[in-house]
Structures are given as C-alpha cells and as structure tokens.
Amino acid sequence: MNIPLSVPNLSLDILNNIKECIETGWVSTGGRFINEFENKIADYIGIEEAVGVQSGTAALHLAYQLLGVGPGDEVIAPTVTFIAAINPITYLGAKPIFMDCDDSLNMDLDKLDEFLSSQCEITPSGTKNKKTGKIIKAICVVHVFGNPIDMARVMEIAQKYKLKVVEDATEALGSFYTKGKYKGKHAGTIGDIGIYSFNANKILTTGGGGMIVSSDNDLLEKARFLSVQAKTDPLYFKHDDIGYNYRLTNIAAAFGTEQIDKLEEFVEIKKRNYNLYQEIINKIDGLELLAFNKGTRPNYWFYSLIVDKDKYGINRDKLLCELNEVGIQARPLWGLISRQKPYQDCEAYKINKAKYYVDNLLNIPCSTNLTKEEVCQVVDKLKSFRAKGD
Ligand SMILES: *Cc1c(COP(=O)(O)O)cnc(C)c1O
C-alpha cells in the first residue's frame, strides 16, 4: 500500500501553458499568466485585486511589514501553526506573543480577549504589553487546516485594541462563511491583509507561490512594489526603498491558472472523503475526527484524527508508526512554536489545550486524488490496529 498524506493533483493540460512560457521566453517575474492568475484568485474569493508572490512566507513577510510591524514591536500569534506564519515577525525585528488554541485548533479567542484586557493597556501610541512595555502592533490568525476562525470576533477584538490583522489563509483557500456577519465572505478577505499559499501540499499548487489580498489597494500596490526590488524607475534603476525579489514567476502562475479552475472540484472530493472517513471513524471506539466550524463552508484541507489511548488501546505515536509501516502516510500536529528553539524565551499565554493536541492528534491522508477505496483501506487499518491494542 502507498497512500500519501497530501500530494498535488496536477494535470498534463498545464503543459500547454508551460509551452507558451518557453516559446515566448516569459519564464520569470513578468508575463501574462501572473495577472491572469491574480485575477482568477481575486474573482474566486470575491475581491478586487490580489498580488502574486513566490511563497506564502514571502507574502507574510510583506504583510507584517506593510502593516507597520518593526523592531521592538510585538505581534500576537498562535502557537499551533506552521512556523512560516511566525518567522517573518522575527525577520522584522519584532517578537511574537503566543496564544493557545481552542478545540477547533484555531486561536482561543477567549484567552486572547483575556490576555489583552488583563495584561495590556490601551495607550495613545497603541496597545501596550504591561510586562514588556512594548507595543503590540498586530495579531496573526491562522485558519488551521482550512477551518475558518470566527473572524467577526477577531475583528471586534482587533478594533477594540487597535491591532492590525494578518489573516493567514494559506491553508484555507476555498473556505468561506455561510452564516453571521461575514456570510458569503472568504477566509483571507476580512483582515487587513490576507495570505494564500500554493506550496505543493496546499489545496492547489503552483510548485511554490503565494498571494496577498486586501481591501486596501494602496497596500497592495506597495506589496507589488516591494516584491520587485522597489524599483521606482524601471529604466534607470532608481530605488527609493529596500525591496525584495518576491514576485511570483510566470511559470508558477501558469500552473495556477489551470489549478484554480479545479478548486471547487478539489473541495468536493475533500468533503466526500471527509464524510466517508467520519462515518466509519466515529464508530471506532477511541478515535474521533475533528469537526469543522459550523456556519462555514470549509475547504476540508486536512483531516485531524484524535486518538484516545485509553479507549483505542494504543497511543498516537504507536498508531503513527503502524500506519507508516503499512504504507499509509500520517503525521502529528506541528510542534508548538512556543517550544521551538528560536522562540522558547518569547511570551506564551496559558498554553494548555495545544499541548493535548500536539500529543494526541494525527493527520491522515487527504489528497484530492484520494479514492473512496483508499479511504476504506485506511479505515480498515484503523479498525484492525484497535483490535491489536485489546
Ligand atoms: C504553508 C503555510 C505557510 C507558508 O506558505 P509557503 O508557501 O510554504 O511559504 C504559512 N502559514 C501556514 C499556516 C501554512 O500552512
């Protein structure tokens, strides 16, 4: 058996686009596919404009910078996330303050509110962390595994404390709200800046790539400017600012324009497989598949299995080994960022639930080319390993 965790679902149709890149010589950071891909993403998520860059990490770096995060500032961020959401805070000389997750794996907004009201004070120059005396400039929220966080609550808190919101939707392209204040709005389009990623394990891929969105077109213009070395005059190489080589390439975008047309189909397959898994897994004593939030249409990007060792018989790590041994690729949750070597001395506020999930959660195969038969093979193994534990 060989069932990978999450692999790209690519079509050879992309070759037509790549052929055009080769024939026209437009292989780098200029060319028609870049704009076309930006427009298609913008249309899909229902906004005016998007800026393509070379990775989600690059997009996050620009986002924090454009929202004014700089040396000596602090940024509130989740401890449960991929580290790429956090590292750019450090690139800018600022420090993260880590928040716990709730049972959706997203940031615990009660704790966030509690932290801000008990540990911080609102001053004329912004919200100040009483312990460090530093200004908290922004908050980064991640829609973990494609599960939309309650953005209405996030924005309410952010407004109260005058915090900018970086909305890391790198895992949540295709997720939107079906109820509440933001009904019809896509994850990534609500905060001050939203971020998508097209890395190979995301729901759609360009090999490597990212997108920045915002309702503030000035910010997007600045993002585009900084992504091409901040060139003020294209002919005489005049630079009035320090930029980056972050622009999306035409080759990557050539993948994107084809992939985005499949996005709804991909979500459908992920949803079908999720439901199939859930039906059987919830009948296996000791295993539970985490639900996606109500009032949303998630993109079902990653499936999270929770292993109750006492009821299931074996613990998460043993199950992980057993699965990998029979050729079913699974992985644990990311190591908490507040425990990673570069971040151990950063402030972390009452991290508690995250520790439970880091020890007991397992992601199981979820590719968009995963067949029903393969889902059944995975759950058969999950059943048989339980028997083993008895
Ligand atoms: C994938 C991911 C990123 C980074 O995207 P890249 O395109 O790989 O740089 C950032 N944040 C989260 C939560 C991610 O999952």
Side-chain angles (χ1 to χ4, degrees):
M1 215 181 309
N2 178 20
I3 307 181
L5 178 74
S6 175
V7 288
N9 191 343
L10 297 164
S11 143
L12 284 174
D13 293 344
I14 298 171
L15 278 178
N16 293 327
N17 293 353
I18 300 300
K19 188 162 174 273
E20 185 185 317
C21 294
I22 294 170
E23 281 173 351
T24 60
W26 289 105
V27 291
S28 198
T29 54
R32 79 170 176 103
F33 291 116
I34 301 173
N35 290 335
E36 202 175 305
F37 184 41
E38 287 173 339
N39 291 338
K40 276 187 164 186
I41 289 277
D43 281 350
Y44 177 83
I45 60 177
I47 51 152
E48 264 178 50
E49 226 186 294
V51 176
V53 292
Q54 279 174 11
S55 68
T57 311
L60 283 152
H61 187 187
L62 291 174
Y64 288 119
Q65 182 174 332
L66 289 168
L67 293 177
V69 174
D73 291 332
E74 294 186 338
V75 176
I76 298 175
T79 190
V80 172
T81 180
F82 183 48
I83 200 164
I86 310 301
N87 284 338
I89 299 170
T90 312
Y91 303 165
L92 292 162
K95 274 199 167 199
I97 301 168
F98 294 106
M99 282 291 139
D100 201 8
C101 69
D102 62 19
D103 291 314
S104 72
L105 303 178
N106 287 331
M107 186 184 284
D108 185 328
L109 299 178
D110 289 328
K111 277 191 181 165
L112 170 68
D113 206 6
E114 184 189 283
F115 172 80
L116 285 164
S117 62
S118 67
Q119 309 294 311
C120 305
E121 59 184 344
I122 301 175
T123 74
S125 43
T127 291
K128 191 196 262 180
N129 182 348
K130 285 192 273 191
K131 196 153 106 192
T132 60
K134 306 277 190 196
I135 296 295
I136 301 172
K137 272 277 165 61
I139 161 171
C140 169
V141 289
V142 177
H143 302 284
V144 175
F145 298 148
N147 190 18
I149 193 172
D150 180 356
M151 280 306 288
R153 182 102 193 271
V154 170
M155 296 312 284
E156 196 182 297
I157 295 172
Q159 242 155 32
K160 181 169 169 199
Y161 292 95
K162 295 195 169 52
L163 304 173
K164 297 291 185 188
V165 177
V166 172
E167 197 182 348
D168 180 334
T170 46
E171 305 176 356
L173 182 63
S175 299
F176 58 85
Y177 297 87
T178 56
K179 284 207 175 87
K181 182 174 178 192
Y182 294 120
K183 184 176 170 183
K185 284 222 170 214
H186 278 253
T189 66
I190 297 162
D192 292 284
I193 295 186
I195 305 295
Y196 301 96
S197 161
F198 314 113
N199 195 9
N201 74 343
K202 300 301 201 278
I203 192 162
L204 65 83
T205 188
T206 61
M211 201 74 86
I212 303 174
V213 302
S214 175
S215 52
D216 182 340
N217 288 343
D218 288 345
L219 280 183
L220 294 181
E221 201 179 308
K222 277 188 206 147
R224 203 171 270 129
F225 173 70
L226 290 174
S227 78
V228 287
Q229 308 285 19
K231 207 184 276 175
T232 315
D233 183 302
L235 184 59
Y236 292 101
F237 291 92
K238 211 169 156 298
H239 305 268
D240 293 334
D241 209 335
I242 294 172
Y244 308 92
N245 180 10
Y246 275 176
R247 188 77 170 129
L248 188 69
T249 68
N250 203 41
I251 291 186
F255 276 67
T257 54
E258 198 273 349
Q259 285 267 286
I260 179 81
D261 292 340
K262 306 261 176 71
L263 183 50
E264 276 305 306
E265 199 183 301
F266 288 170
V267 174
E268 273 310 305
I269 295 164
K270 280 198 186 265
K271 180 180 174 181
R272 179 203 72 192
N273 287 340
Y274 174 82
N275 287 334
L276 205 58
Y277 268 128
Q278 197 185 36
E279 216 174 281
I280 312 170
I281 284 173
N282 289 350
K283 286 185 206 137
I284 306 174
D285 205 18
L287 293 186
E288 185 204 336
L289 208 55
L290 273 195
F292 288 91
N293 286 333
K294 294 210 168 65
T296 72
R297 195 296 296 261
N299 68 354
Y300 298 90
W301 181 56
F302 258 39
Y303 312 143
S304 303
L305 186 67
I306 309 298
V307 185
D308 179 335
K309 180 184 123 246
D310 295 334
K311 290 192 186 138
Y312 187 66
I314 58 174
N315 69 14
R316 191 275 314 269
D317 293 311
K318 183 90 173 83
L319 177 57
L320 183 64
C321 289
E322 295 276 6
L323 286 169
N324 286 338
E325 228 156 77
V326 296
I328 296 170
Q329 197 188 4
R331 51 155 251 195
L333 188 63
W334 308 284
L336 300 183
I337 311 302
S338 48
R339 284 178 175 171
Q340 307 290 338
K341 203 170 164 197
Y343 295 110
Q344 279 165 1
D345 60 355
C346 291
E347 187 164 1
Y349 185 70
K350 296 187 182 174
I351 308 293
N352 179 21
K353 280 228 159 106
K355 291 180 186 163
Y356 171 79
Y357 286 109
V358 116
D359 290 339
N360 296 291
L361 186 147
L362 198 62
N363 292 121
I364 52 175
C366 63
S367 306
T368 52
N369 40 29
L370 185 73
T371 64
K372 283 185 193 172
E373 291 69 33
E374 287 171 319
V375 172
C376 293
Q377 286 173 336
V378 175
V379 289
D380 279 348
K381 289 293 174 195
L382 291 175
K383 278 185 201 159
S384 72
F385 295 145
R386 178 175 192 282
K388 239 181 179 173
D390 282 340

